[in-house]
């Protein structure tokens, strides 16, 4: 995972070089200088390769000039279509071509600085690996890319402008680490301890244990936790970056089921290992807090995560149980595998009563139904506030973390009426993601609220432009952008 | 045409049964009294009032004096009065301040109700009665209202290369057919395309037994299109419109099409069949192509009970709407809202199209079972889009909306809803 630096545009003495070219565009000065140093070999090579700069097209020329190991030319597509937001994919496409080189110079002297920064960020995001548990890798199989120097006209300005992106990338990587960790390592107690790491960034971290949550009446969250040998935790992370210290905060709330067997309503065995990432909502909130604090965002924000493990055991919650939530509302548990909403119910209630937020957004790998509805490209977005919903959708488009709004209404709400309690925790198959959102809405007390169902987007089965397959950290970029665009005063 | 004769009048009525906001539910010396429940709007109020009539009573006066929308009351009552069983025709008098104005508005409204009820009368028929041939016969009766009915049969479809629809329908004794209903009028038409699977066993990829009986309603999309066309004809709309209905039965036999088959569609694209139970999109592919190439419509809208996935996504309170055109999409949403037939926009993402890449043909029709949960409604829409080209297009996945899933004002539980007929009729008149 390379260090990104910024340098004046000059021919390097060693290492590899990446030149970027828009379709029908002109080579940059650095590109031309390289060509001259190669005695015209670069131009001839690209001509022979039929390189035109179309999107995703690449050509490699080995040892074009003394000391230079290789030159990679990468097409960016039509110049008119190139924006900072779309430039990250260019960086993502560059990474596999340069991962075996230790030192790489990115010739960005021909493109605008905002675009160059995002190309660099794309390289960085795409370079993520989680190798903690591999003990037999051969050095040759590992990427060697250690340093990416971005060559452009104003390196000092670029360095400053890149700093927030560096913080965001770190937030993304933290989130991916947490989601990638296996469930025997990252259980609720361990994940809470990892959150303490944010203190180094100036975040106040408070951890609530079993005793405190009992006192707060978290009957729903504790009902989920009681089947596990490991105690639950709730972590409250505060970042006060606003100039107005007394400004009401915004709240991000994450579902953190560190492993979800389904409990007594146990899941089928096939694919159950995926349930280690059932804490991805919480993973996103933690990564987001790291990003916001890391770039010293001028906003007051509280991140809250409810951490539990959902296990079947002699002490586990049963279908038919009725639990009392912190809000006082009672829930008939029909299916112990619809546990995420139970965790969120108590954490959201706590967020409102304790922190009085302007608005709140929860993230959860909540329902399989959202995959049947939307697949893996869009997260499901539910909201009681059209303005906030539109802002989240726009931030999603800008960062490539797409959201699609789905409906809420009384007709759906009726589907979770219980015969014995205030509500039941599942309806029928019909509109399963919507009824889950209706359930959560019963705990938001009418506050502006967005619920993101990220069950389809938290983990990717294949490589994406700036995300290697595995944990995506979906939501960190999106919500960081939301805050940056609208809520920093 | 309607199950109820409707009158608007200023004078008090003389029916023994009376409904009004001031009435209490019960009986008096004159007859039955019904409290008009306006909490869900006037249409629902009219419907609930009619539904409250005791058995054997078929005449009702509704006191609508002081109420804003007497026509909606009449519409609701008429829709609710429909019954699949033969029943004596009812009479309804709406007492209101401006009866002549109401009657004029009613003249514009009742054709849409007739269209909706025609759709219901088709959907309710079981598959041993409404075979593809019987469906075609029912559609041919529409010619008496001025619709031009053209029927292409199995031989024509096979001869003209409609390989997708032909494959879907070929195992059944009756069908397949492609039926065109044409309403001549000004300008290029709007085309409706309907899925008319008279019964869907799933074919070789056979469905589980539980709930299969509901598959008699798998022609609800085609029925909605036919209902809309009837509404336009009865209302003598000046706009041109055409409906292309793909009518077939998907069953299992020695001659069924198979998973793995590659079909040549009318458009020329080849399609790998992955699941014979994803037959609706195959039938629609040829019908969409036919509608677009033969009628050059200014917009094309299809309706289909297409996927279980849309029911998981939206339940029974919204149909799914997919479109390639923002203006058509918002007009369709608005028409749905206005007619109480709500839709919700759904995406066709890049990944949805990528998933349809086939190793052997131009595209595959869906994702194979066994790969986990799939956004099949989005996949189906991405598939259909390949057969549309640049014509503005909207696709209505109405799988959750064809039958009333619970009692509602307009239809009792299990009854067909006619969903889509009124929406389409309105859209064509307004777009």
């Amino acid at each position: 995972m390379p260090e990104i630096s910024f340098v004046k545009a000059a021919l390097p003495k060693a290492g590899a070089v990446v030149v970027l070219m828009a379709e029908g565009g002109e080579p940059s000065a650095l590109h031309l200088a390289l060509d001259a140093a190669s005695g015209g070999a670069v131009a001839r090579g690209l001509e022979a390769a039929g390189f035109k700069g179309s999107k995703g097209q690449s050509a490699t020329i080995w040892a074009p000039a003394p000391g230079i190991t290789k030159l990679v030319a990468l097409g960016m597509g039509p110049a008119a279509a190139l924006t900072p937001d779309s430039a990250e994919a260019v960086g993502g496409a560059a990474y596999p071509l340069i991962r075996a080189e230790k030192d790489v110079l990115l010739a960005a002297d021909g493109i605008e600085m905002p675009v160059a920064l995002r190309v660099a960020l794309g390289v960085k995001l795409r370079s993520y690996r989680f190798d903690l548990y591999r003990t037999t890798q051969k050095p040759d199989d590992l990427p060697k890319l250690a340093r990416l120097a971005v060559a452009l006209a104003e390196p000092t300005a670029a360095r400053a402008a890149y700093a927030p992106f560096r913080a965001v990338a770190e937030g993304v990587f933290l989130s991916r680490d947490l989601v990638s960790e296996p469930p025997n390592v990252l259980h609720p107690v361990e994940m809470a301890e990892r959150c303490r790491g944010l203190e180094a960034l100036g975040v106040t971290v408070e951890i609530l244990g079993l005793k405190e949550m009992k006192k707060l009446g978290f009957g729903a969250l504790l009902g989920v936790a009681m089947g596990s040998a490991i105690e639950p935790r709730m972590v409250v992370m505060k970042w006060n970056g606003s100039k107005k210290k007394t400004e009401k905060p915004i709240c991000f709330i994450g579902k953190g089921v560190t492993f979800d067997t389904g409990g007594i309503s146990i899941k089928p065995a096939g694919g159950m290992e995926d349930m280690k990432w059932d804490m991805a909502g919480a993973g996103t909130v933690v990564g987001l807090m790291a990003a916001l604090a890391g770039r010293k965002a001028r906003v007051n924000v509280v991140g809250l995560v409810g951490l539990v493990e959902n296990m079947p055991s002699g002490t586990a919650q049963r279908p038919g149980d009725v639990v009392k939530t912190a809000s006082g509302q009672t829930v008939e548990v029909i299916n112990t595998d619809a546990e995420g909403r139970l965790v969120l119910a108590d954490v959201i209630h706590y967020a409102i009563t304790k922190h009085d937020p302007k608005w709140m957004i929860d993230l959860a790998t909540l329902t399989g139904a959202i995959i049947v509805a939307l697949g893996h490209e869009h997260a499901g977005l539910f909201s009681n506030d059209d303005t906030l919903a539109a802002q989240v959708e726009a931030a999603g488009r800008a960062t490539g973390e797409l959201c699609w709004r789905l409906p809420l209404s009384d007709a759906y709400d009726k589907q979770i009426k219980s015969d014995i309690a205030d509500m039941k925790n599942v309806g029928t198959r019909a509109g399963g993601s919507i009824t889950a959102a209706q359930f959560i809405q019963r705990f938001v007390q009418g506050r502006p609220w967005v619920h993101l169902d990220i069950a389809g987007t938290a983990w990717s089965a294949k490589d994406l432009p700036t995300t290697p397959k595995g944990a995506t950290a979906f939501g960190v970029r999106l919500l960081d952008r939301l805050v940056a665009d609208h809520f920093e005063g | 045409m309607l199950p109820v004769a409707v009158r608007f009048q200023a004078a008090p009525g003389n029916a023994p049964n009376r409904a009004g906001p001031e009435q209490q539910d019960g009986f008096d010396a004159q007859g039955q009294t019904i409290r008009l429940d306006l909490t869900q709007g006037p249409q629902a109020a009219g419907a609930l009032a009619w539904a409250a009539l005791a058995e054997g009573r078929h005449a009702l006066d509704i006191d609508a004096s002081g109420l804003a929308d007497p026509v909606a009351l009449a519409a609701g009552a008429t829709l609710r009065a429909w019954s699949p069983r033969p029943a004596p025709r009812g009479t309804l008098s709406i007492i209101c301040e401006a009866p002549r104005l109401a009657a004029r508005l009613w003249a514009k409204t009742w054709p849409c109700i007739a269209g909706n009820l025609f759709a219901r009368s088709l959907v309710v028929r079981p598959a041993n009665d409404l075979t593809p041939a019987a469906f075609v016969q029912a559609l041919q009766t529409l010619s008496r209202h001025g619709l031009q009915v053209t029927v292409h049969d199995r031989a024509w479809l096979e001869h003209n290369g409609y390989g997708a629809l032909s494959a879907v329908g070929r195992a059944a004794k009756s069908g397949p057919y492609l039926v065109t209903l044409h309403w001549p009028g000004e300008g290029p038409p709007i085309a409706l395309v309907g899925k008319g699977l008279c019964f869907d066993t799933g074919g070789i990829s056979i469905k589980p037994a539980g709930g299969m009986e509901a598959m008699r309603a798998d022609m609800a999309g085609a029925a909605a299109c036919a209902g809309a066309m009837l509404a336009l004809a009865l209302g003598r709309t000046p706009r041109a419109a055409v409906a292309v209905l793909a009518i077939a039965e998907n069953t299992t036999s020695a001659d069924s099409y198979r998973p793995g088959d590659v079909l040549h569609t009318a458009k020329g694209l080849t399609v790998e069949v992955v699941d014979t139970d994803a037959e609706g999109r195959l039938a629609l592919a040829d019908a969409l192509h036919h509608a677009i190439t033969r009628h050059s419509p200014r917009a094309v809208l299809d309706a289909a009970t297409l996927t279980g996935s849309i029911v998981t996504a939206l339940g029974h309170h919204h149909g799914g709407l997919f479109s390639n055109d923002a203006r058509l999409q918002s007009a369709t949403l608005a028409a749905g809202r206005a007619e109480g037939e709500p839709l919700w926009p759904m995406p066709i993402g890049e990944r949805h199209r990528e998933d349809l890449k086939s190793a052997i043909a131009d595209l595959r029709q869906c994702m194979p079972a066994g790969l986990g949960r799939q956004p099949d409604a989005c996949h189906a829409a991405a598939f259909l889009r390949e057969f549309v080209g640049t014509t503005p297009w909207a696709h209505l996945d109405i799988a959750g909306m064809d039958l009333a899933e619970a009692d509602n004002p307009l239809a009792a539980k299990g009854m067909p809803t006619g969903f889509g007929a009124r929406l389409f009729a309105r859209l064509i008149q307004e777009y």
Side-chain angles (χ1 to χ4, degrees), chain A residues 367-378 404-409 411-412 415 429-434 460 462 464, chain B residues 308-318 344-352 354-355 373-378 405:
Chain A
T367 65
I370 204 68
I371 305 174
V372 178
L374 298 173
H376 301 284
E377 202 169 355
H378 296 86
W404 192 271
R405 192 165 179 189
L406 289 167
L408 294 169
S409 77
Y412 295 108
Q415 290 176 229
R429 180 184 70 101
S433 305
I434 301 174
S460 179
K462 58 181 182 183
L464 300 174
Chain B
S309 151
I310 203 69
V311 184
T312 302
L314 296 174
H316 300 285
H317 307 298
H318 290 91
W344 191 268
M346 294 288 291
I348 305 177
E350 285 170 31
R351 290 273 293 278
H352 298 136
E354 277 168 31
D355 286 343
R373 298 185 178 98
Q374 297 297 337
D376 189 46
C378 301
E405 153 269 354

Side-chain angles (χ1 to χ4, degrees), chain B residues 202-392:
Chain B
I204 295 298
S205 315
I206 198 164
K207 289 178 187 289
M212 202 202 276
E213 67 282 0
M215 286 302 114
R216 70 174 161 76
D218 209 20
M219 34 59 73
C225 297
M229 295 303 291
L230 174 61
L232 297 173
L234 294 172
R236 304 274 138 200
T237 178
R239 303 284 188 88
V242 63
V244 176
L245 312 178
I247 294 171
E249 179 177 346
N250 183 25
T251 192
T252 54
S253 86
D255 192 32
S256 289
Y257 79 126
R258 312 157 194 83
D261 285 1
V262 173
L263 309 178
H264 290 263
T265 63
K267 187 173 183 188
L269 290 173
T270 56
V271 174
E272 179 188 8
V273 178
V274 169
D275 185 329
T276 64
D277 194 19
E279 84 298 333
R281 64 200 75 178
L282 297 172
L284 287 174
D286 281 350
L288 281 167
H289 177 75
H290 185 86
I292 289 167
T293 54
R294 304 286 174 122
H295 299 281
S296 310
R298 59 199 176 94
V300 58
L301 298 100
D302 74 73
T305 48
L306 207 60
T307 65
S309 151
I310 203 69
V311 184
T312 302
L314 296 174
H316 300 285
H317 307 298
H318 290 91
L321 174 65
F322 299 83
S323 182
N324 64 357
D325 185 276
R327 183 170 159 253
L328 180 64
Q329 173 173 305
S330 62
T332 309
L333 283 171
R337 268 194 303 273
E339 292 294 346
E341 298 182 338
L343 299 170
W344 191 268
M346 294 288 291
I348 305 177
E350 285 170 31
R351 290 273 293 278
H352 298 136
R353 176 63 188 86
E354 277 168 31
D355 286 343
L356 298 179
K357 281 183 184 156
S358 164
I360 181 172
D362 294 332
L363 67 167
R364 60 182 177 186
Q365 125 245 47
C366 63
M367 289 285 272
L371 293 184
R373 298 185 178 98
Q374 297 297 337
D376 189 46
C378 301
H379 284 149
F383 178 86
L384 293 177
R385 190 176 59 181
E386 296 301 305
F387 296 88
V388 169
T390 55
T391 308

Side-chain angles (χ1 to χ4, degrees), chain A residues 4-76:
Chain A
I4 309 283
S5 63
F6 296 89
V7 298
K8 269 226 166 310
L11 271 188
K13 293 190 177 62
V17 180
V18 178
V19 297
L20 304 172
M21 197 103 113
E23 205 165 339
E26 293 298 317
S28 73
L30 196 50
H31 182 163
L32 290 173
L34 267 161
D35 184 46
S38 75
V42 167
R44 287 196 303 277
L46 294 182
E47 169 97 40
F51 182 80
K52 293 190 184 64
S54 51
K55 194 171 179 182
Q57 191 186 19
S58 69
T60 301
I61 296 163
W62 294 97
I68 311 278
T69 54
K70 70 172 176 182
L71 176 139
V72 173
L74 187 64
M76 301 190 292

Side-chain angles (χ1 to χ4, degrees), chain A residues 108-120:
Chain A
D109 56 328
I111 54 179
E112 303 279 327
M113 185 174 78
V115 173
L117 299 180
R118 301 289 285 279
V119 172

Side-chain angles (χ1 to χ4, degrees), chain A residues 297-361:
Chain A
R298 295 186 306 278
V299 62
N300 289 346
V301 45
V302 183
L304 303 100
V305 295
L307 306 173
V308 297
E309 183 179 49
N310 187 20
M311 293 291 271
S313 80
T315 60
Q317 155 168 284
R318 311 149 200 84
D321 283 4
V322 172
V323 294
K324 188 165 185 180
T325 64
S327 72
Q329 300 179 84
T330 56
V331 180
E332 182 186 11
V333 178
I334 299 294
N335 185 329
T336 64
D337 194 17
E339 83 297 336
R341 62 201 75 177
L342 296 168
V343 173
L344 289 172
D346 282 343
V347 179
I348 287 173
H349 180 77
Y350 179 85
I352 294 172
T353 50
K354 184 88 180 177
H355 296 288
D356 187 24
K358 276 193 285 198
W359 52 257
M360 57 207 163
I361 296 180

